[in-house]
């Protein structure tokens, strides 16, 4: 169930989208689809908490915004909606957010969407000055543990150039790819 042989249809879809005026995404035109159906290798060496309050949620997503250099105006817009988003996410229970700490300092963020078949990794970020300390790997392990606890021991992800090598190193295997397009209008 964790992997699939599905491919985009109709054949030649990417070329057709380009011909219609879409352009490859400027930031991440190609992602690697990866999956794992066993515990990732290595041991988590960084503290990770599943976010359980609005305050933790806001700390986690603000860290993500810093890492991805979200403009100030967009951050303000997102802040104005954060409490409502948290209320909806908390009530639904299918989305989890995680906060990694190095020496008690927020260092990393991650999100997961739980489905009946797998847990989908939907974002992860580590502050640049704290990279190389196992933050991202610990965030993957935390999501794996929650997926197992829910009875779906499978993680899937469409990973970019920074994450894909780490995920391969801890046991994920490539199952496909994703091409992202942007409407230039």
């Amino acid at each position: 169930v964790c992997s699939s042989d599905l491919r985009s249809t109709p054949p030649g879809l990417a070329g057709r989208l380009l011909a219609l005026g879409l352009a490859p995404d400027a930031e991440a035109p190609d992602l690697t689809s990866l999956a794992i159906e066993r515990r990732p290798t290595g041991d988590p060496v960084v503290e990770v908490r599943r976010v359980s309050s609005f305050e933790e949620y806001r700390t986690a997503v603000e860290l993500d915004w810093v890492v991805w250099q979200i403009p100030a105006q967009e951050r303000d817009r997102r802040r104005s909606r954060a409490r409502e988003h948290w209320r909806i996410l908390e009530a639904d229970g299918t989305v989890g957010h995680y906060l990694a700490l190095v020496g008690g300092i927020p260092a990393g963020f991650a999100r997961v969407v739980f489905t009946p078949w797998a847990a989908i990794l939907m974002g992860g970020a580590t502050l640049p000055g704290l990279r190389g300390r196992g933050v991202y790997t610990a965030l993957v392990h935390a999501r794996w543990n929650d997926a197992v606890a829910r009875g779906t021991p499978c993680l899937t992800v469409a990973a970019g150039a920074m994450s894909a090598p780490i995920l391969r190193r801890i046991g994920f295997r490539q199952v496909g790819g994703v091409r992202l397009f942007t409407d230039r209008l």
Side-chain angles (χ1 to χ4, degrees), residues 107-125:
F109 156 88
R111 179 183 300 111
V112 66
V113 175
F114 296 106
T115 75
W117 308 277
I120 306 166
L121 307 185
M122 296 292 290

Side-chain angles (χ1 to χ4, degrees), residues 36 113-119 143-144 146-155:
I36 192 167
V113 175
F114 296 106
T115 75
W117 308 277
R143 293 176 285 177
W144 169 259
D146 283 355
V148 169
R150 292 175 74 99
T152 54
C154 175
L155 299 179

Side-chain angles (χ1 to χ4, degrees), residues 74-110:
E74 177 62 17
R75 289 184 202 191
D76 290 342
R77 187 187 71 74
R78 291 180 184 190
R79 273 187 204 101
S80 72
R81 298 172 149 181
R83 189 169 294 278
E84 179 64 12
H85 287 174
W86 170 250
R87 187 189 66 72
I88 292 167
L89 293 169
E90 186 65 10
D92 180 65
T94 58
V95 178
H97 293 84
Y98 300 80
L99 186 60
L101 305 160
V102 172
I105 307 288
F109 156 88

Side-chain angles (χ1 to χ4, degrees), residues 15-114:
R16 292 173 73 180
L17 293 173
L18 291 169
L20 289 171
L22 274 72
D25 185 80
E27 294 180 26
D30 295 298
L31 302 174
T32 304
S33 298
L34 301 157
I36 192 167
E37 297 174 274
R38 60 172 175 73
R39 183 185 180 277
T41 60
D43 292 315
V45 296
V46 171
E47 177 187 357
V48 174
R49 294 184 197 156
R50 177 143 182 205
V51 169
S52 63
S53 70
F54 173 70
E55 292 73 23
E56 287 179 332
Y57 170 74
R58 186 162 169 182
T59 297
V61 296
E62 293 230 7
L63 186 149
D64 186 48
W65 303 341
V66 167
V67 170
W68 295 108
Q69 301 175 353
I70 303 300
Q73 185 176 2
E74 177 62 17
R75 289 184 202 191
D76 290 342
R77 187 187 71 74
R78 291 180 184 190
R79 273 187 204 101
S80 72
R81 298 172 149 181
R83 189 169 294 278
E84 179 64 12
H85 287 174
W86 170 250
R87 187 189 66 72
I88 292 167
L89 293 169
E90 186 65 10
D92 180 65
T94 58
V95 178
H97 293 84
Y98 300 80
L99 186 60
L101 305 160
V102 172
I105 307 288
F109 156 88
R111 179 183 300 111
V112 66
V113 175
F114 296 106

